[in-house]
């Protein structure tokens, strides 16, 4: 990606996932989304994405932490910045752990699909060679 704005990069990534969900939902006879290899490749890409989520989650808290450490963090309604940061960091730790769990599960999914293939006997366009 060439964008230098982190929020725009995440927005673009989210849009790409939305686009995948939209196009992969269609029940068609599209050869680009019909075979076990497509499941394998999708699982591999999702696994790769999930492996990067932990770092992204941790880095997403940096702007708020910098503001807090500079003594400039305000919380709406006269809230307590210390309590808000503790809550943010606890949620971040949970999210990172869940991302690691997701990455592990997607790795298993990717592995489980690695040996899958299609019986092409009798299918048009496939010849024995």
């Amino acid at each position: 990606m060439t964008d230098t704005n982190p929020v725009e990069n995440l927005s673009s990534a989210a849009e790409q996932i939305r686009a995948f969900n939209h196009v992969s939902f269609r029940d068609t006879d599209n050869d680009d989304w019909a075979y076990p290899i497509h499941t394998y490749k999708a699982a591999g890409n999702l696994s790769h994405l999930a492996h990067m989520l932990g770092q992204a989650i941790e880095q997403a808290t940096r702007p708020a932490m910098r503001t807090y450490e500079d003594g400039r963090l305000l919380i709406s309604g006269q809230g307590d910045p210390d309590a808000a940061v503790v809550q943010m960091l606890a949620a971040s730790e949970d999210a990172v752990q869940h991302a690691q769990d997701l990455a592990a599960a997607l790795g298993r999914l990717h592995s489980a699909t690695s040996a899958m293939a299609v019986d092409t006997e009798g299918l048009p366009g496939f010849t024995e060679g």
Side-chain angles (χ1 to χ4, degrees):
M1 299 183 108
T2 59
D3 296 337
T4 58
N5 181 314
V7 173
E8 289 177 11
N9 286 333
L10 285 177
S11 179
S12 178
E15 177 57 27
Q16 289 298 306
I17 293 297
R18 187 209 62 78
F20 167 81
N21 288 345
H22 179 75
V23 74
S24 65
F25 181 73
R26 289 189 229 139
D27 187 19
T28 65
D29 290 326
N30 182 349
D31 281 347
D32 290 335
W33 193 244
Y35 302 109
I37 187 66
H38 300 128
T39 299
Y40 173 76
K41 289 179 177 182
N45 286 328
L46 288 168
S47 176
H48 181 64
L49 181 133
H51 280 303
M52 295 183 288
L53 283 176
Q55 179 180 352
I57 292 164
E58 288 173 349
Q59 288 174 197
T61 65
R62 287 182 181 174
M65 284 304 300
R66 272 192 225 111
T67 304
Y68 173 73
E69 290 164 355
D70 290 344
R72 300 183 53 81
L73 183 65
L74 298 176
I75 306 300
S76 298
Q78 305 295 319
D80 178 12
D82 294 330
V85 166
V86 166
Q87 184 179 13
M88 177 188 73
L89 292 176
S92 176
E93 287 179 24
D94 287 347
V96 167
Q97 182 59 56
H98 288 299
Q100 291 170 347
D101 294 344
L102 176 61
L106 287 167
R108 292 189 306 275
L109 172 62
H110 188 228
S111 292
T113 61
S114 67
M116 294 179 178
V118 176
D119 180 358
T120 60
E121 185 176 329
L123 287 178
F126 290 94
T127 59
E128 291 185 36

